Amino acid sequence: MGRRSGSRKRGPVRGLALALLLGAALSGGCATDPPVPPATGVPARETVDGSGRRITLTVGVFGTFGLQEAGLYDTYMRLNPDIEVQQTSLSRNDVYYPQLLTHLTAGSGLADVQAVEVGNIAEVLATQGNRLDELGSAPGVDPGAFLPWKWAQGTAADGRTLALGTDIGPQAVCYRKDLFARAGLPTERGAVGRLWAGDWRAYLAAGVRYRERVPEGPAFTDSASGVMAAVTGSAPLRYYDEQGDLIVAVNPAVREAWDLAAAFARQGLTARLQQFTPGWDQAFANGAFATIACPAWMLGYIQDKAGPAGRGRWDVAAAPRPGSWGGSFLVVPSAGRHRAEAARLAAWLTAPAQQAVVFERRGSFPSASAAYTLPAVVSARHPYFDDAPVGAIFAAAARGVPRAPIGPKDALVAQTLADVGMLQVDQTGRSPESAWNAAMKAIDNALDR
């Protein structure tokens, strides 16, 4: 349901990835409609409409969000025969999100429950918080069931929790075992993780070692921008500080990520690709690179693009440091006609049991840590990636994600750093300092600073 804090091109990519993950992808799951238990703590209701008519609740989402596809609405309606759930969807978040802001401001045209991408959540809470219902104390919501950093992202400055987390994008490193063997590097996933444990610079060192031994072969990784995003995503401070001030230009962690990614480009360790373009897609099939920072939702994408020939060649190892790329929330607009019922629905959809079902059926990794001990998550393995224990790998990453503040323009900043700045270093050989200055200027112009 999303891509990193600086989310780009989210919906279609995610939808495709999840569609391909569906079915036999997770061997810990099943493809035959497992039961969905009701959330605990939700009070039973005999009726919601004095007239006896069914109440229709609408859920507005973007992309292929996964709730409907996982069968959650059908289950909820079976559990609550007086409720009908309908979904409205726009394919792209860059179309959906401006409309959501317009409708919230106008107080009309809204669904009863609306999805918000993580790259937009800070702006929604800051500018639309007075138009959203508090959900932290809604029936069926257990704050302790969620990852603390995810809960904090959905909580406004005044302490009200206005958004309930759906999924997150804990990161690992996906790698080609056959190419690692060719370079004389370890191939077993535990040993690979230890190559760079705790330090992204060790990931660079592994790349240098790989290139020395495979000088003419596939690149070590896909893109410098991908490296930069992964490193930034594991930092405790990124583009904004705790006070909400933009610090991208002066934050040493951002500059460290920039310099490290530029080193990958200048040392010839990347395939010089731009992510989520046709060329990047084709590079998976061509075996053009050996590693890529991969959130949980990217596994299906790799499987699709690399095709049957990649089965058993790809594996998953822990990233140097834990980070998250993507994720979403549900909010309840105060202008809705059925606010109490909408809050109950949002609480149920985001409860651990339901998040585990969405992971099992669609690959969206739960933001509710209470789901990590459920069989659908803890036992999940991925046969395409040599039966990697993806539930355990991504749960460990999720628990280690730093609680970094996110700002109202996180998505814009991240995309500008990648597409205006680092892409030029990687593809045109522009000096890192010149590209950095260009990116900072572009960010200032975009934010009218």
Side-chain angles (χ1 to χ4, degrees), residues 237-239 241 245-256 436 440 449:
L237 276 181
R238 303 170 194 172
Y239 312 129
D241 63 15
D245 295 324
L246 185 69
I247 59 169
V248 59
V250 298
N251 182 4
V254 174
R255 188 58 199 237
E256 178 185 354
W436 170 268
M440 293 302 108
R449 285 160 45 94

Side-chain angles (χ1 to χ4, degrees), residues 412 416-417 420-421 435-448:
L412 182 149
T416 304
L417 282 171
V420 175
W436 170 268
N437 293 333
M440 293 302 108
K441 184 176 181 180
I443 290 170
D444 285 343
N445 290 341
L447 300 181
D448 196 24

Side-chain angles (χ1 to χ4, degrees), residues 228-442:
M228 180 179 64
V231 178
T232 306
S234 64
L237 276 181
R238 303 170 194 172
Y239 312 129
Y240 289 82
D241 63 15
E242 295 283 0
Q243 289 70 47
D245 295 324
L246 185 69
I247 59 169
V248 59
V250 298
N251 182 4
V254 174
R255 188 58 199 237
E256 178 185 354
W258 176 275
D259 290 341
L260 188 74
F264 272 82
R266 294 173 76 82
Q267 296 187 46
L269 305 183
T270 78
R272 300 181 177 181
L273 297 163
Q274 183 176 15
Q275 294 190 331
F276 302 101
T277 62
W280 189 67
D281 291 350
Q282 189 61 41
F284 284 104
N286 296 339
F289 51 86
T291 71
I292 183 170
C294 56
W297 50 261
M298 192 184 283
L299 301 189
Y301 196 92
I302 294 172
Q303 180 177 347
D304 171 43
K305 301 306 177 186
R311 186 183 180 92
R313 292 183 175 180
W314 283 95
D315 207 325
V316 185
R321 293 205 304 262
S324 183
W325 179 354
S328 294
F329 298 83
L330 297 179
V331 300
V332 173
S334 301
R337 292 180 56 198
H338 308 295
R339 296 161 59 187
E341 289 76 16
R344 287 192 183 93
L345 174 61
W348 187 87
L349 292 171
T350 56
Q354 281 64 256
Q355 291 204 30
V357 169
V358 178
F359 174 63
E360 186 176 43
R361 298 179 179 176
R362 306 296 300 174
S364 300
F365 202 79
S367 64
S369 53
Y372 298 168
T373 57
L374 299 178
V377 179
V378 73
S379 301
R381 307 184 77 91
H382 204 307
Y384 186 87
F385 291 82
D386 201 19
D387 214 28
V390 292
I393 291 172
F394 288 114
R399 291 189 176 102
V401 174
R403 183 175 166 170
I406 55 176
K409 299 298 181 183
D410 258 43
L412 182 149
V413 172
Q415 184 160 356
T416 304
L417 282 171
D419 294 345
V420 175
M422 190 52 64
L423 187 64
Q424 295 187 38
V425 178
D426 207 12
Q427 293 191 343
T428 72
R430 187 172 185 175
S431 77
E433 196 62 33
S434 173
W436 170 268
N437 293 333
M440 293 302 108
K441 184 176 181 180

Side-chain angles (χ1 to χ4, degrees), residues 64-145:
T64 306
F65 207 75
L67 302 176
Q68 179 170 268
E69 294 80 1
L72 293 191
Y73 300 154
D74 290 340
T75 302
Y76 192 79
M77 288 187 285
R78 285 200 302 271
L79 296 171
N80 299 271
D82 51 355
I83 299 290
E84 179 174 353
V85 182
Q86 297 179 355
Q87 178 174 288
T88 61
S89 179
L90 295 176
S91 61
R92 295 183 60 90
N93 187 46
D94 55 6
V95 176
Y96 167 90
Y97 181 59
Q99 290 189 17
L100 174 62
L101 290 181
T102 299
H103 292 158
L104 282 169
T105 301
S108 63
L110 292 156
D112 295 291
V113 178
Q114 295 272 178
V116 181
E117 213 272 345
V118 64
N120 305 124
I121 191 64
E123 184 172 41
V124 166
L125 297 188
T127 66
Q128 306 293 331
N130 61 340
R131 300 182 177 95
L132 300 175
D133 278 4
E134 201 278 333
L135 296 176
S137 57
V141 173
D142 177 7

